[in-house]
Amino acid sequence: MRPDPHDDPSPADDRVVPPRRRWLGTLVAVVALIGLAALAWYLTHRPAVPPGGAFAAAPAASGASGVGANAPGGPGGGGGGGRGGRGGASTVGIATATPADLPVVLEALGTVIPSITVTVRPQVSGVLTSIAFTEGQMVRKGALLATIDPRPFEIALQQAIGARMRDEAQLENTRVQLQRYQTLLGQDSIARQDVDTQAAAVKQLEATLVIDRANENTARLNLGYTRIVAPVAGRVGLRTVDVGNYIGAGDASGVAVITQLNPIDVEFSVPQDRVPEIQASVGRGEKLAVAAWDRTRTRKLDDGTFSTLDNQIDVQTGTVKAKARFVNATNSLFPNQFVNVRLLLRSVDGAIVVPVTALRTGPNGDFVYVLNADRTVSVRPVQRGVSTGEVIAVTRGLAAGERVVTEGGDRLREGARVQLASERPAGAASGASAAFGGRRGASGAASGPRQRRQGADGG
């Protein structure tokens, strides 16, 4: 059986690309790269447009020397407008360095915690007969909250009183007997052993009477525990038990939960680097002011004072827990509420402050662009101080009253000419009107020859 010639692929079947087609593809790739390089060079080296617009320089040049080929903006003028646009002034925003008292504030996120939280539990067991509070009520210390059925405890008190009275009577009788035995002993009519035995009986009954009185006091105390009162002043939470339920001293939920709201504390964390400064202020007896703000930092909730620091640093976060106390007279702070805390550490008096956007950082450190009288800027090295987030203090290199650049400084250099943002709208409007007039003049100059040609064709 002869093999099929179609089953054995031959090297002659491979498609060979002609050398001419390969050369053509390489040429197209090279041309494309050259075009991209030329476009990049044009975009980075093209002349800047003058502030008055692209057509602002053309009407002025046409009015000075006519619409000729030798005009500065014409075909033979060498592009004078482009060179003028390259030297134009940059528009910047400025601010004046002013002296001010700059507060050094530490901001943190805090949690409101009540100064006292009490779960009111019954001291004795029994059936709950009445509840004397409403949910959310503000109660005073000693106010009645609930009552347990007192009848079993009244009966126990009566039993204790009866046992005490019985033992008191026995003690009185034993004392009388002791006095008789002592009289007989003086007459030598009784043995001394009988006298000693009677004296011991008196002491035994005296001890029994002490126990009876203790039992009576215990019964009175248990009877008083049937009236459940508030141990502290504060706000009562939601009711956890209803009338008619049997409650005991071991109930975890208790009868009610009272939280003290006046005063109230806020717990927050401070960086460990700030701990020495805070401790030094507290050691001098200073009362550090603390302000609590709402979640959006738009409304102040209350003012308070710094209380204390925790005794150790959290190694995971590098912070220390701190606590501040607030009077909370308006009850604007609520337990477990999240607030923004602002702790005033100190105040820098008479600091030279500028907006934060005015301060820049370069290879040689911090600097600002100072605006000169001739509308040029100078690079001024400065030393920064404390910052509040909006303004920053400059401790060296800047004087009060000097004007610094706050916006548009990325395009500036030493000696660059600038224009203020307040001066930009007038210049832009005049440039736009000049450009519009230039377009009208150019269209009028071009329509003249067209109309003459049409007249010649009609003739």
Side-chain angles (χ1 to χ4, degrees), residues 57-58 61-62 65-81:
S62 301
S65 58
V67 190
N70 295 327

Side-chain angles (χ1 to χ4, degrees), residues 278-288 306:
I278 295 175
Q279 286 182 331
S281 300
V282 175
R284 292 191 298 266
E286 298 179 4
K287 296 292 185 180
L288 299 181
F306 181 81

Side-chain angles (χ1 to χ4, degrees), residues 383-401:
Q383 183 176 357
R384 72 170 64 196
V386 296
S387 174
T388 62
E390 297 180 356
V391 296
I392 187 170
V394 178
T395 58
R396 187 178 60 188
L398 195 64

Side-chain angles (χ1 to χ4, degrees), residues 54-348:
F55 298 96
S62 301
S65 58
V67 190
N70 295 327
R83 289 191 298 270
R86 185 173 300 178
S90 301
T91 303
V92 297
I94 64 170
T96 304
T98 56
D101 296 337
L102 191 63
V104 181
V105 179
L106 176 64
E107 296 189 0
L109 182 63
T111 304
V112 180
I113 56 175
S115 55
I116 298 177
T117 301
V118 178
T119 300
V120 183
R121 294 185 176 92
Q123 300 295 313
V124 293
S125 301
V127 178
L128 193 64
T129 58
S130 66
I131 293 179
F133 68 91
T134 58
E135 297 174 332
Q137 178 184 353
M138 298 295 297
V139 297
R140 293 180 296 178
K141 182 178 180 179
L144 179 64
L145 300 179
T147 303
I148 297 176
D149 187 4
R151 291 175 295 178
F153 302 96
E154 292 174 351
I155 295 173
L157 177 60
Q158 292 176 0
Q159 291 177 350
I161 293 175
R164 175 182 60 80
M165 295 176 64
R166 180 196 59 196
D167 293 337
E168 284 179 348
Q170 292 180 357
L171 177 60
E172 185 66 22
N173 183 37
T174 305
R175 286 175 177 173
V176 172
Q177 291 290 342
L178 178 60
Q179 291 178 356
R180 292 175 181 173
Y181 284 176
Q182 290 176 348
T183 302
L184 294 177
L185 180 63
Q187 298 174 359
D188 197 19
S189 300
I190 192 173
R192 180 173 293 277
Q193 181 179 2
D194 295 337
V195 177
D196 295 339
T197 301
Q198 191 66 21
V202 170
K203 293 182 178 179
Q204 183 177 1
L205 288 176
E206 289 177 349
T208 303
L209 187 60
V210 171
I211 296 175
D212 292 340
R213 290 173 178 171
N215 292 333
E216 181 182 355
N217 293 332
T218 301
R220 291 183 184 277
L221 186 62
N222 291 334
L223 180 60
Y225 283 153
T226 59
R227 298 180 73 257
I228 303 175
V229 298
V232 295
R235 179 186 176 96
V236 182
L238 300 180
R239 189 171 57 193
T240 59
V241 65
D242 296 325
V243 175
N245 287 286
Y246 183 86
I247 57 177
D251 293 345
S253 58
V255 176
V257 178
I258 301 177
T259 56
Q260 189 176 37
L261 303 181
N262 312 100
I264 203 167
D265 297 330
V266 174
E267 186 177 292
F268 58 98
S269 299
V270 298
Q272 60 181 357
D273 298 336
R274 295 287 191 176
V275 172
E277 184 176 0
I278 295 175
Q279 286 182 331
S281 300
V282 175
R284 292 191 298 266
E286 298 179 4
K287 296 292 185 180
L288 299 181
V290 182
W293 294 72
D294 63 352
R295 181 178 55 85
T296 59
R297 299 184 180 179
T298 57
R299 185 172 65 93
K300 181 188 290 188
L301 301 177
D302 200 1
D303 290 318
T305 56
F306 181 81
S307 297
T308 185
L309 290 171
D310 198 3
N311 59 356
Q312 59 184 352
I313 298 174
D314 189 348
V315 296
Q316 296 182 353
T317 61
T319 59
V320 181
K321 291 183 179 180
K323 184 181 290 187
R325 174 149 293 188
F326 296 82
V327 178
N328 198 25
T330 60
N331 292 330
S332 57
L333 297 176
F334 206 77
N336 295 334
Q337 178 184 1
F338 288 97
V339 295
N340 288 287
V341 178
R342 293 181 180 178
L343 173 62
L344 180 60
L345 298 177
R346 55 189 173 88
S347 180
V348 180

